[in-house]
């Protein structure tokens, strides 16, 4: 193959590689470094394509035209690379735009000098036919503009390398690889360009961009070259709210962020890093020991120290840093400030202690007061019953007032009883021990106990329950549930009324109903029950509905303990039906030691 032809083919291959890098960079064009990479590759493409046309040129006119294409990129490549290094290292962030204007003065001057070279010959003084070889077709005598541009290019490359050197020694392994790739992309064309000064007539610089294209493509695909620059990594590192300490494999402190300075102010005493951990953190021997004794796995431990008058608490996380292999190359220690959590926890413990003492005092006070009220009221109930019977027998004219007094005392006694039941339930003193019970027998016992009270109002009570229905319930709670519902039904049912208790099996639940034809539930009680609050306050209205409301709330809570629910239907003047559910089945008759209750009491 002709020399001119294979050189042009190689140049077009290099151009294709640079186009590929341009496409990869364009996909990340939202990053400033990627946009600069696109400009570098475009400039190199003009250089490479123009030189390919120069190699294939057959006349001086073609050579000059090819040089014009080359100079669309030649003056700017090195300066664009330096600007990329400035972006990559985070140099001169505040003055970057002004710095860019200064850096590109010389490239633009060289571009316009070459564009007008035929007028002044400052870039190329003259062109001479190459009689010895076909490549290049014409030799050029360089002018002062060309020398200025060459010196400026090497100065720019040297500045970029000097910016990279300190960064390389302080960078993480992944960033070091990115730096090497960027250096390779600049050094390969530069080394080939130096051959021109050794007497070679053929410019091999564009072939160096083939090496640059391969290096950049490898870096983008393998090492995320354009994804997150070290500047961005440094900003992330510095803005982490947790303190971070980086150590190498010899336990020397390599770097730390601002939050770590607040945790360990002694870090500021040392001006140069890496520094020996033992010397820097000599005031924290326990921390040094934990770091040195760490195994290969991640560790978590507590750390605290005094900061003035305040004890600061931290959760520490010590992790090993690995390169591509399995051998650790360093450690990362993170400090998570939990001082406020600890202080809040201490305050909560103190509040809990105070509440515990108050509750203990309240419990003692409640027990004493409740029992001191209950015993005298129980005595009053007995005395009013005896007094009522004597006055009724003697046909005393105020016997009706005594019976009213007796009813009020009994109502108050029932309220105190319910209050004590609720208190024992809240304190956990009512133990939930569910067992299987024959529902018919339990209901009959409850009716038997309420028979005397219903008989005074000539109320007829009946039960319609299958003797095969069984419920799983705590016996004491079930007795209280039935006692409250039956007692309320008697209270609000007029003389000669009817109370009916029924039950039906619905799946794995037994639904029990307590129906009366009394006056119905008053609006206030109905509203409070529908709120479904575990406890509510009520104002005294002068009637005896307060104990009813409290008893119904207590009943509902005991039903919920069983996993059931309580609801009701009520119409004023027609009657009320309470429904509740309990776990149960039609499992057969269970032995029961209670006597059979009368099915009808009139």
């Amino acid at each position: 193959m002709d020399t001119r032809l294979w050189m042009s083919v190689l140049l077009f291959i290099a151009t294709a590689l640079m186009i590929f890098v341009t496409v990869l960079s364009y996909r990340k064009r939202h990053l400033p470094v990627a946009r600069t990479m696109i400009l570098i590759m475009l400039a190199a493409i003009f250089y490479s394509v123009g030189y390919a046309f120069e190699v294939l040129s057959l006349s001086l006119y073609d050579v000059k035209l090819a040089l014009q294409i080359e100079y669309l990129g030649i003056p700017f490549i090195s300066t664009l690379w330096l600007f990329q290094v400035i972006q990559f290292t985070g140099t001169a962030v505040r003055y970057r735009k002004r710095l860019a204007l200064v850096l590109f003065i010389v490239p633009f001057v060289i571009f316009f000098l070459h564009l007008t070279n035929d007028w002044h010959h400052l870039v190329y003084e003259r062109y001479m036919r190459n009689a010895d070889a076909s490549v290049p077709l014409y030799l050029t005598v360089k002018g002062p503009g060309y020398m200025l541009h060459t010196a400026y290019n090497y100065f720019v490359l040297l500045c970029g390398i000097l910016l990279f050197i300190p960064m390389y020694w302080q960078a993480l392994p992944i960033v070091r690889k990115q730096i090497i790739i960027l250096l390779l992309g600049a050094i390969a064309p530069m080394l080939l360009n130096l051959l021109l000064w050794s007497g070679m007539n053929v410019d091999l610089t564009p072939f160096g961009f083939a090496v640059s294209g391969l290096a950049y493509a490898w870096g983008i695909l393998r090492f995320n070259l354009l994804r997150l620059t070290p500047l961005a990594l440094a900003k992330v590192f510095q803005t982490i709210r947790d303190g971070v300490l980086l150590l190498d494999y010899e336990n020397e402190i390599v770097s730390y962020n601002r939050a770590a300075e607040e945790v360990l102010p002694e870090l500021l005493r040392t001006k140069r890093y890496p520094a020996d951990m033992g010397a820097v953190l000599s005031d924290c021997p326990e921390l040094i020991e934990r770091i040195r004794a760490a195994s290969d796995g991640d560790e978590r431990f507590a750390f605290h120290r005094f900061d003035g008058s305040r004890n600061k608490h931290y959760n520490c996380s010590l992790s090993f840093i690995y390169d591509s292999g399995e051998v650790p190359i360093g450690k990362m220690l993170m400090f998570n400030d939990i001082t406020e959590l600890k202080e809040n926890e201490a305050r909560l413990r103190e509040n809990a202690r105070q509440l515990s003492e108050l509750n203990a005092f309240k419990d003692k006070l409640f027990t004493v007061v409740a029992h001191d009220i209950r015993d005298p009221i129980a005595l009053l109930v007995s005395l009013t019953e005896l007094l009522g019977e004597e006055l009724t027998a003697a046909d005393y004219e105020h016997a009706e007032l005594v019976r009213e007094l007796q009813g009020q005392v009994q109502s108050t006694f029932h309220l105190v009883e319910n209050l004590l039941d609720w208190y024992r339930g809240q304190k956990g003193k009512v133990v939930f021990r569910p067992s299987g019970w024959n529902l018919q027998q339990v209901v009959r016992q409850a009716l038997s106990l309420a028979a005397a009270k219903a008989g005074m109002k000539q109320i007829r009570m009946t039960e319609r329950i299958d003797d095969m229905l069984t419920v799983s319930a705590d016996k004491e709670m079930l007795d209280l549930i039935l006692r409250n519902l039956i007692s309320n039904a008697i209270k609000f049912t007029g003389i000669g009324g009817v109370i009916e208790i029924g039950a039906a099996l619905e799946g794995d639940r037994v639904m029990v109903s307590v129906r009366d034809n009394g006056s119905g539930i008053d609006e206030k009680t109905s509203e409070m029950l529908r709120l479904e609050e575990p406890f509510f306050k009520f104002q005294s209205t002068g009637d005896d509905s307060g104990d009813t409301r409290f008893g119904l709330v207590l009943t509902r809570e005991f039903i919920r303990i069983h996993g059931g629910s309580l609801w009701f239907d009520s119409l004023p003047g027609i009657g009320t039906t309470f429904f509740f559910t309990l776990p149960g089945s039609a499992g057969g008759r269970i032995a029961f030691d209670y006597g059979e209750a009368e099915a009808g009491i009139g």
Side-chain angles (χ1 to χ4, degrees):
M1 181 183 291
D2 183 83
T3 302
R4 298 165 59 209
L5 192 57
W6 70 257
M7 284 185 65
S8 61
V9 169
L10 289 177
L11 288 168
F12 283 123
I13 291 175
T15 302
L17 283 171
M18 288 181 279
I19 292 173
F20 178 63
V21 175
T22 304
V23 172
L24 293 177
S25 303
Y26 183 77
R27 292 165 60 182
K28 299 177 176 62
R29 61 189 179 277
H30 59 283
L31 297 173
V33 175
R35 292 196 292 270
T36 306
M37 178 65 79
I38 293 172
L39 294 176
I40 293 173
M41 290 295 101
L42 288 176
I45 288 169
F46 282 118
Y47 190 1
S48 180
V49 170
Y51 193 62
F53 286 137
E54 182 184 351
V55 169
L56 295 172
S57 297
L58 300 175
S59 65
L60 180 59
Y61 176 81
D62 293 338
V63 170
K64 289 184 177 181
L65 181 60
L67 284 172
Q68 294 292 355
I69 296 174
E70 291 176 46
Y71 268 80
L72 289 173
I74 287 176
F76 307 104
I77 295 174
S78 298
T79 308
L80 284 169
W81 180 82
L82 175 61
F83 191 71
Q84 186 180 55
V85 173
I86 291 172
Q87 291 175 319
F88 196 83
T89 57
T91 306
V93 177
R94 296 178 60 185
Y95 310 104
R96 192 167 294 168
K97 291 183 179 180
R98 279 175 279 180
L99 180 60
L101 291 175
V102 173
L103 288 175
F104 282 95
I105 290 175
V106 172
F108 275 105
V109 169
I110 298 300
F111 172 76
F112 284 108
L113 285 177
H114 182 269
L115 191 64
T116 58
N117 186 69
D118 287 344
W119 299 345
H120 46 70
H121 303 288
L122 291 175
V123 179
Y124 296 111
E125 292 182 355
R126 63 182 183 274
Y127 302 90
M128 299 181 299
R129 181 82 182 194
N130 186 3
D132 298 331
S134 60
V135 180
L137 184 63
Y138 282 86
L139 300 176
T140 57
V141 177
K142 278 70 175 178
Y146 187 93
M147 299 302 177
L148 171 66
H149 181 226
T150 301
Y152 185 74
N153 278 344
Y154 286 116
F155 170 74
V156 163
L157 290 171
L158 180 62
C159 289
I161 293 170
L162 291 176
L163 285 175
F164 267 145
I165 289 174
M167 182 181 185
Y168 179 86
W169 295 114
Q170 299 178 6
L172 296 174
I174 184 67
V175 178
R176 288 184 176 182
K177 294 173 182 176
Q178 294 175 349
I179 292 173
I180 291 173
I181 290 168
L182 290 174
L183 282 173
L184 180 60
I187 291 174
M190 181 183 71
L191 292 176
L192 293 178
N193 182 262
L194 287 173
L195 296 176
L196 286 175
W197 302 102
S198 66
M200 180 179 288
N201 291 324
V202 177
D203 186 5
L204 298 179
T205 306
F207 296 98
F209 290 113
V211 179
S212 301
L214 287 172
Y216 290 150
W218 183 48
I220 293 171
L221 297 173
R222 178 67 177 82
F223 300 114
N224 297 323
L225 179 62
L226 302 179
R227 182 162 296 179
L228 193 61
T229 66
L231 175 61
L233 289 172
K235 286 184 177 179
V236 171
F237 182 63
Q238 291 297 339
T239 53
I240 294 175
R241 297 182 64 183
D242 293 340
V244 182
L245 201 65
L246 296 179
L247 305 101
D248 62 14
Y249 61 95
E250 294 179 344
N251 284 328
E252 287 195 345
I253 299 175
V254 177
S255 182
Y256 58 87
N257 65 350
R258 294 189 187 93
E261 297 173 359
E262 299 178 6
V263 181
L264 303 167
E266 49 265 56
L267 292 170
L268 297 173
R269 301 174 193 163
T270 303
K271 302 302 180 183
R272 299 184 64 182
Y273 287 93
D276 180 64
M277 175 183 65
V280 177
L281 304 180
S282 57
D283 296 338
C284 307
E286 294 181 2
L287 182 62
I288 294 173
E289 186 63 28
R290 291 300 296 263
I291 295 173
R292 286 177 174 167
S295 59
D296 290 344
D298 296 347
E299 292 189 11
R300 294 183 181 275
F301 56 90
F303 174 69
H304 67 90
R305 66 184 318 185
F306 288 97
D307 180 13
S309 59
R310 192 181 187 191
N311 194 8
K312 303 285 292 231
H313 296 269
Y314 302 93
N315 268 341
C316 296
S317 174
L318 182 62
S319 305
F320 281 79
I321 302 172
Y322 297 87
D323 201 352
S324 56
E326 297 181 356
V327 179
I329 61 172
K331 300 173 185 175
M332 181 175 66
L333 180 62
M334 297 187 68
F335 299 87
N336 181 19
D337 191 345
I338 57 170
T339 304
E340 290 189 8
L341 291 176
K342 285 287 186 180
E343 291 175 349
N344 290 337
E345 183 181 340
R347 284 193 288 268
L348 287 173
R349 281 198 299 267
E350 178 61 21
N351 291 339
R353 185 190 63 78
Q354 294 177 357
L355 285 174
S356 178
E357 292 178 356
L358 289 172
N359 277 331
F361 174 75
K362 180 263 297 179
D363 294 340
K364 293 177 183 178
L365 183 64
F366 191 96
T367 303
V368 170
V369 171
H371 284 85
D372 285 351
I373 292 174
R374 181 183 180 279
D375 293 341
I377 293 179
L379 178 61
L380 280 175
V381 170
S382 300
L383 290 175
T384 53
E385 286 179 352
L386 291 174
L387 182 60
E389 291 175 359
E390 291 180 1
L391 293 177
T392 301
D395 197 21
Y396 186 63
E397 60 178 333
H398 297 298
E400 187 64 30
L401 293 176
V402 175
R403 282 196 295 272
E404 181 64 26
L405 175 63
Q406 179 183 351
Q408 291 292 336
V409 172
Q410 287 178 339
S411 177
T412 304
F413 179 70
H414 287 313
L415 179 60
V416 172
E417 284 280 271
N418 281 331
L419 190 61
L420 286 173
D421 285 336
W422 171 83
Y423 173 72
R424 289 196 299 270
Q426 294 295 308
K427 291 296 293 177
K429 293 181 180 178
V430 176
V431 182
F432 180 61
R433 295 192 182 94
S435 299
W437 301 96
N438 183 281
L439 182 60
Q440 185 189 65
Q441 294 179 346
V442 175
V443 170
R444 286 187 176 183
Q445 183 204 21
L447 292 176
S448 176
L449 294 175
K453 189 174 182 180
M456 295 175 63
K457 299 177 71 174
Q458 298 179 358
I459 295 173
R460 183 168 58 89
M461 298 190 299
T462 59
E463 58 86 12
R464 301 180 183 276
I465 300 175
D466 191 331
D467 62 359
M468 300 295 287
L469 283 181
T470 302
V471 293
S472 176
D474 180 281
K475 183 59 170 59
E476 290 185 1
M477 292 187 185
L478 183 56
D479 287 342
L480 184 141
I481 292 168
L482 292 171
R483 184 180 74 201
N484 268 308
L485 293 178
I486 294 172
S487 177
N488 288 338
I490 294 173
K491 181 182 300 185
F492 294 102
T493 301
I495 296 175
V498 176
I499 297 174
E500 181 180 303
I501 301 178
L505 182 65
E506 295 184 351
D508 60 349
R509 298 273 168 180
V510 173
M511 185 181 69
V512 184
S513 62
V514 179
R515 179 179 291 105
D516 65 66
N517 61 350
S519 59
I521 298 178
D522 63 276
E523 183 177 348
K524 189 171 184 180
T525 302
S526 176
E527 180 182 351
M528 288 183 173
L529 285 174
R530 288 193 170 94
L531 290 175
E532 296 203 356
E533 295 178 357
F535 183 74
F536 51 72
K537 298 179 180 180
F538 53 86
Q539 298 177 348
S540 177
T541 56
D543 55 21
D544 57 353
S545 61
D547 58 327
T548 300
R549 296 168 190 163
F550 192 89
L552 289 175
V553 171
L554 183 62
T555 299
R556 184 176 63 193
E557 293 307 307
F558 280 160
I559 291 173
R560 284 178 175 174
I561 291 174
H562 286 80
S565 57
L566 174 73
W567 70 98
F568 62 91
D569 290 328
S570 181
L571 292 174
I574 296 177
T576 302
T577 303
F578 275 92
F579 302 91
F580 66 92
T581 57
L582 294 172
S585 64
R589 192 177 181 87
I590 296 178
F592 199 69
D593 293 334
Y594 298 104
E596 297 290 332
E598 293 295 333
I601 301 170

